[in-house]
Structures are given as C-alpha cells and as structure tokens.
Amino acid sequence: MNIQQKKQLLQKFWYNTISYQSLMEGLQTYEHKEIEGYISYIKVGRRSYIVVGDPICSEEDMMQLIHAFRSEILLKKWRILFISISQKVKVIFELMWFWILEIGREALFDIQNFTTLWTEKRNMRNLLRRAEKEDLCIRRIETLRESDKIWIETLNSDWLTTRKTKGFSFLLKLSPFENLDDKILFVAEKDECIVGYISAVPIYGRKWFYFEDIIRSSTAPLGTNQLLLVSAIEFLKEQWYELASLGTSPLGNIDNTTDIQHKKAQTLLRLIYKRANGFYNFKGLYHFKKSMCPSFWDPKFIAFYPPRLRPKVFLAIAKAYNPRGITGIVISRITKLVFPRNKK
C-alpha cells in the first residue's frame, strides 16, 4: 500500500488524532484482502508490536481487522500494544479481551469558543503581551521557501540538543515537511529570523486539526509558543473548524480506578511519571500543555494482548517514546515496588 492509498483511507475513516503518524517512514503496514483499511505498526524491543492509534477502517470492519492482525502476530508468539487508542474504539478492544489502560490525556481546544479573556488564562495573556512587545511577526507558510526550510531545520537541530531524550521514536519524531500539502504551518519571525514554528495536520473524520509540533529557539522571546498557538487557532476559527488538539500528554493527569489490577498498573505508571523524567520529560510536557489552557482533556488508552501485566509491556511502552533512553533494569526495579513477589 503506497502513501496515496493510505491518505485516501485516512480521509475516509480517520478519527484518532495520532493516526496521521501512520504515514511516517519506517512503519510497516498490515492489510487484509477482504477489508478496506490498514494497521500501521513497528517492532519494538523483544517480541512486541506497537500499533499507532486506532485501526484505519470502518467501524463495521474494525473487529475483523483487529482479529486477523492479532491472529497473525500470536502465531509468532509476540505481544501487541495499540498506543493511544480513542474512547470511540475502546469498547471494541474490551469485547476482544484486550487489557485496556489509560495512558494519558489529550489537550483539546474548542476553536469556535476559544478566548484568552478568562481569569485562569491570566498567565497566558501576560506571555502574549510580552511576545507582542518584542515585535514578533507571525506568518503562515503557504509555499515553502528554501530559506524557511533551512531556518526550521536549524531550529529543530538546536531544540533537540536541549532535550533530555535522545533518539526520538516514531511517536515523537519532528517532521514538519512530511506531507506538507496537508498541513498548516506558521512561523514566528524576529529581525527577519525564524525563531519558532507551529505545524498542524487535519483530522479528516472530524472537523479538527492536530498541532503536532510547537518549537521555538532558546533565544526566542517568552510567549512565542503561545502567540503561535493563538494565531493558528484564530486562523482555524475563520475556517469554521470545531476543535484542535495539542496531542496527548503521556502519563499525565490519569484518572484513578477502583479495579485492583488496574490500580497497580496505574501506580506503576505514576512512578514512571515521577521518577523516569531523566529519559523522557513526562512532567514538563504535561505542564507545558496545561499552560496553554486547553478547553478540556480527553483520555487516551493503550490496549495490549495477551492481557497479562508484565514488566516487558511497560518497557515496550517506554521504548515507543524513546528507544534508547530506558532499560529493562529500570522498569524491573520500578515494577518490584508495585508488584512485590510473595515470599515462599
């Protein structure tokens, strides 16, 4: 299946925010000859298949497509993890005896009712004023110039050097130029230099856009990211879009559960959230998205099969975000705090 065929299916069936990443290079594709649709996945670690979001197909075909994919993988004695599935398809996975676990929250903006005038957005307003005083110019890129591309590539390179995480996986890859015809791209300029940008992709199954990257240079004025976001939202408001997503904050703001096994798993995820920020900045990402004052947060889930909690499941999840930043030893030590073995 080529990329144009995938795009046509996305335009027809796409509902989940993260599913656009199924177009990224390096992912493998599962197809079924009797079903119009596909599943994008990657092999991670030992015996784990990571799937990007929901399967791309009709709701009527989804259970059959998942079953066929699962059957093929289980013959190889591998495990399957669907990362960041939506609330809409969660019920299907539950009926198929997958283990479901909340993995984070997605920050969403109500575009048509968006305003910065509310009291809780005082800090955001202050940052916007600071950025405007610095004479930042926000420009939408409709035709990419070579000079724009060089500036943005330099921004990406400089930004990556400041990250704790090295070697981002497909879930976190910066890719502002891939499938650019589908995207909107705004840049912030100061003194004729690009000091920040925001890129977004449409979610065809809804009247939505997904802000996949918001990047600024270390020398950009405070408030650059906020001004980019507000400018992009104002543009989408004029186009009568309904919602915009800032993406999922992994492990952030997870709801409590009364189920004992799920409670243990959530305790483990909270420990990773608190203690594993050396390999991925979970806390920083959540607080950054919270500072943008989203209208509401939507839960995202992982679904894995076989439905058994094992340290390797959490290691596969961690490696999906950063393939080189955490080891099985770290996961094992954290797991023992939550799942102590009974002494014989």
Side-chain angles (χ1 to χ4, degrees):
M1 182 179 293
N2 61 41
I3 193 167
Q4 290 304 321
Q5 291 172 319
K6 286 185 176 182
K7 279 188 178 183
Q8 289 174 3
L9 291 171
L10 281 174
Q11 290 172 2
K12 191 172 183 179
F13 300 123
W14 183 13
Y15 187 85
N16 193 332
T17 303
I18 200 176
S19 294
Y20 193 86
Q21 290 174 302
S22 68
L23 299 177
M24 285 188 171
E25 295 180 1
L27 297 181
Q28 298 182 58
T29 303
Y30 175 80
E31 303 173 62
H32 191 285
K33 62 182 179 180
E34 297 178 1
I35 299 173
E36 185 182 22
Y38 68 93
I39 291 174
S40 284
Y41 66 93
I42 191 171
K43 296 177 183 178
V44 175
R46 295 182 178 180
R47 298 186 177 278
S48 293
Y49 277 62
I50 301 288
V51 179
V52 186
D54 304 340
I56 307 300
C57 64
S58 68
E59 290 185 52
E60 294 76 16
D61 290 333
M62 192 166 291
M63 186 174 288
Q64 184 181 352
L65 183 60
I66 295 170
H67 173 71
F69 177 68
R70 178 175 64 180
S71 298
E72 186 170 308
I73 301 308
L74 291 180
L75 286 174
K76 303 175 184 178
K77 297 184 179 180
W78 284 52
R79 68 184 62 86
I80 310 168
L81 291 92
F82 284 79
I83 293 285
S84 200
I85 65 170
S86 63
Q87 184 90 36
K88 183 177 180 180
V89 303
K90 173 174 171 277
V91 175
I92 295 175
F93 283 98
E94 288 174 335
L95 289 172
M96 298 181 70
W97 295 97
F98 278 77
W99 190 302
I100 309 295
L101 191 64
E102 186 177 334
I103 192 65
R105 290 294 175 110
E106 181 179 13
L108 294 166
F109 297 90
D110 181 351
I111 293 175
Q112 294 304 316
N113 295 308
F114 180 80
T115 177
T116 59
L117 298 178
W118 295 336
T119 303
E120 62 268 24
K121 296 185 178 180
R122 186 178 299 134
N123 289 339
M124 189 175 189
R125 288 199 304 273
N126 290 337
L127 288 169
L128 289 170
R129 291 193 194 101
R130 295 186 68 168
E132 289 166 352
K133 286 180 181 179
E134 294 286 342
D135 295 324
L136 275 180
C137 175
I138 305 298
R139 172 169 62 92
R140 183 188 171 206
I141 292 182
E142 298 183 65
T143 302
L144 186 66
R145 303 183 302 218
E146 187 62 29
S147 58
D148 294 333
K149 187 174 182 180
I150 293 172
W151 275 113
I152 291 172
E153 286 175 340
T154 302
L155 272 177
N156 287 343
S157 178
D158 291 345
W159 183 82
L160 286 171
T161 62
T162 67
R163 301 298 95 186
K164 293 179 179 180
T165 303
K166 307 298 180 185
F168 283 109
S169 75
F170 68 96
L171 287 172
L172 303 170
K173 180 183 176 184
L174 294 174
S175 54
F177 308 128
E178 283 189 22
N179 306 302
L180 190 57
D181 292 342
D182 296 334
K183 299 181 179 180
I184 60 169
L185 180 61
F186 286 84
V187 295
E189 295 176 305
K190 181 174 173 59
D191 300 328
E192 300 184 355
C193 300
I194 294 178
V195 295
Y197 75 86
I198 184 170
S199 65
V201 297
I203 304 175
Y204 298 112
R206 312 181 185 188
K207 194 72 172 171
W208 290 25
F209 255 82
Y210 166 41
F211 296 120
E212 58 176 0
D213 297 316
I214 305 181
I215 303 295
R216 72 175 182 90
S217 73
S218 57
T219 58
L222 289 174
T224 297
N225 286 337
Q226 286 75 10
L227 190 58
L228 281 165
L229 178 69
V230 170
S231 299
I233 288 177
E234 291 298 330
F235 170 79
L236 293 174
K237 182 184 286 189
E238 293 173 1
Q239 307 299 314
W240 292 101
Y241 281 92
E242 297 172 357
L243 290 176
S245 169
L246 202 55
T248 300
S249 175
L251 311 189
N253 197 25
I254 295 176
D255 268 351
N256 289 321
T257 179
T258 56
D259 180 87
I260 294 176
Q261 288 300 313
H262 281 71
K263 200 163 190 174
K264 288 182 177 181
Q266 284 188 346
T267 302
L268 173 57
L269 292 177
R270 287 195 180 95
L271 280 170
I272 295 174
Y273 176 80
K274 292 177 181 178
R275 303 187 185 184
N277 282 272
F279 94 93
Y280 182 73
N281 193 12
F282 293 109
K283 286 184 180 179
L285 182 62
Y286 170 68
H287 288 295
F288 167 73
K289 294 185 177 184
K290 186 179 179 182
S291 73
M292 294 296 192
C293 303
S295 305
F296 57 96
W297 297 81
D298 202 33
K300 289 292 184 178
F301 306 89
I302 57 169
F304 55 92
Y305 197 94
R308 296 189 296 271
L309 281 174
R310 295 288 187 272
K312 289 180 180 179
V313 172
F314 296 97
L315 179 60
I317 295 170
K319 285 185 175 292
Y321 287 97
N322 179 12
R324 294 186 293 177
I326 194 166
T327 66
I329 295 175
V330 174
I331 290 290
S332 178
R333 288 177 178 174
I334 295 177
T335 303
K336 287 177 181 177
L337 295 174
V338 184
F339 303 102
R341 295 183 179 179
N342 296 326
K343 294 181 180 180
K344 295 181 180 180

